Amino acid sequence: MISLYNILLISFCVQPPGENYANPRICFFHVLFKAGALAFYILSALFSDSFVIIFVVTVLLAALDFWVVKNVSGRILVGLRWWNEIDDNGESVWKFECLDQESLARMNKKDSWLFWWTLYLTAVVWIFFGIFSLIRFQADYLLVVGVCLTLSIANIVGFTKCRKDAKKQIQQFASQTIANRFTSTIQSAFSVV
Amino acid sequence: MAHDERDTVPLHHSSQSDIDEIENLITASAQFVPSTVQPASIPVSTSPFIPSNLPAPPSKPAYVPPAPSPPPNPNRNANLGHPQPSLSGFGPPANTLTEPVWETVKRDLSRIVSNLKLVVFPNPNREDPGKALRDWDLWGPFFFIVFLGLTLSWSASVEKSEVFAVAFGLLAAGAVILTLNVLLLGGHIIFFQSLSLLGYCLFPLDLGALICMLKDNVVMKMVVVCVTLAWSSWAAYPFISTAVNPRRKALALYPVLLMYVSVSFLIIAIN
């Protein structure tokens, strides 16, 4: 499954980094439910008549994929996590969380490459299917595509915000460290003089 | 004299040592980062509503990576295993990044069960509806809507796909529109919390639909559906009514009841 996705991505002239996967099982599950939902949708739309089965199975696979990406592969492949909490005032707060800098730097590049590329690619493919069913005026298939697309986009938005948050923190931390270092250097310079 | 010393010493010597020191500082204080970086990203909230079966400080993740790359796992565990002085004693947000997969599954499942108990069954927390559904989730509503659609579709002898699509579309779109209705009436409710609530209140109707599917007696169907409809409405009432201005309670409640009544008609009419 992963090699199929690799072939697809390489055909778009996207090169994976040379090292090996650090968490092959997690990568496998990350790709499994996405590819399963897409494959089931395509094959059953061609061969099956029962819309109910198509809907339930596709949406179930998409929901499982959402859960796996949000809770498992996001944590383990790229060290990011996002969720929503309601604080004591009754306001809803979106929380974004990342691992510390050292662990982030140690993340396997190939893992995170696969993570981000499959995330975006799946959403693009669902958009294509949505356009197809729109052209054919199939409202019920559009419903399926709509649900799956919503789930993909929710994950994309959550993790992109998380990554921006993490980058901002790294910059803040680095600039703070350099500023501290700078002031202490100046202080030591003046104390010597 | 000190000036001359400083000028004649090649510039790169001091700057090189500075660069070295910065690097050392970054790598050294990365060890201490957990106590500085993470509180910055997570507002200090003790999250009292997370269920108590929270995992202890992180154990090894369920999926062990192959031998060639051991460093990331133990280090991740070691870094985040430090006691967090600025978070609450168990530091739940930090630990959820490295908890094993089974813990996440169990946590989510127990959240669904506890939300169901809070919303649908009588319990003291219903006095304070704002607190009751603090820990909303959408998995319960998703399963209940799909189950209702499947049950209705199974009971139908013709046009099964249309029945399912109609049931699912009606419930999903209905939940969104009802939430917007409450918000537009000036109510104080959070979008996802309301969706979650309306989904969980479908549980009695799910049971009703299941019973109607098993037994095909019209009178019994009507009785069962009336009972479950009353139960659903009773479950939804406190949450919706406390969210809006008392003078607009009826305006907010009426569409909710209407939706549940139409679903009940669908259950009775299917044969």
Side-chain angles (χ1 to χ4, degrees), chain A residues 22 67 75 81 97 169 181, chain B residues 21 37 41 93 96 99 108:
Chain A
W67 187 89
R75 272 198 282 130
R81 189 163 206 191
E97 185 186 4
Q169 276 173 33
R181 211 46 218 126
Chain B
E21 277 185 285
V37 170
S41 73
T96 60
E99 65 182 3
D108 280 342

Side-chain angles (χ1 to χ4, degrees), chain B residues 7-42:
Chain B
D7 284 339
T8 53
V9 166
L11 206 56
H12 74 266
H13 172 37
S14 60
S15 54
Q16 184 59 46
S17 67
D18 271 348
I19 292 173
D20 283 341
E21 277 185 285
I22 290 177
E23 273 182 17
N24 288 340
L25 208 64
I26 288 180
T27 49
S29 44
Q31 295 298 326
F32 297 104
V33 154
S35 62
T36 53
V37 170
Q38 280 177 340
S41 73
I42 305 170

Side-chain angles (χ1 to χ4, degrees), chain B residues 127-160:
Chain B
E127 308 304 316
D128 187 4
K131 262 208 182 39
L133 208 56
R134 217 25 105 68
D135 215 3
W136 61 268
D137 76 294
L138 287 178
W139 292 108
F142 173 70
F143 287 131
F144 293 145
I145 293 183
V146 168
F147 182 80
L148 189 59
L150 280 177
T151 317
L152 287 175
S153 170
W154 190 278
S155 323
S157 47
V158 289
E159 295 199 348
K160 292 179 184 265

Side-chain angles (χ1 to χ4, degrees), chain A residues 106-126:
Chain A
R106 259 185 240 246
M107 285 287 161
N108 187 321
K109 294 281 186 304
K110 197 162 191 185
D111 278 354
S112 46
W113 172 86
L114 180 77
F115 179 86
W116 290 108
W117 272 102
T118 52
L119 208 60
Y120 288 119
L121 191 68
T122 315
V124 168
V125 174
W126 279 121

Side-chain angles (χ1 to χ4, degrees), chain B residues 189-229:
Chain B
I189 202 167
I190 296 165
F191 184 73
F192 290 111
Q193 209 177 23
S194 165
L195 286 183
S196 177
L197 165 78
L198 290 169
Y200 275 112
C201 290
L202 276 179
F203 176 73
L205 284 169
D206 270 358
L207 291 179
L210 189 62
I211 298 176
C212 292
M213 183 178 85
L214 296 172
K215 274 278 206 173
D216 209 7
N217 185 338
V218 172
V219 173
M220 200 212 68
K221 268 193 191 177
M222 292 194 58
V223 167
V224 163
V225 166
C226 283
V227 166
T228 51
L229 173 64

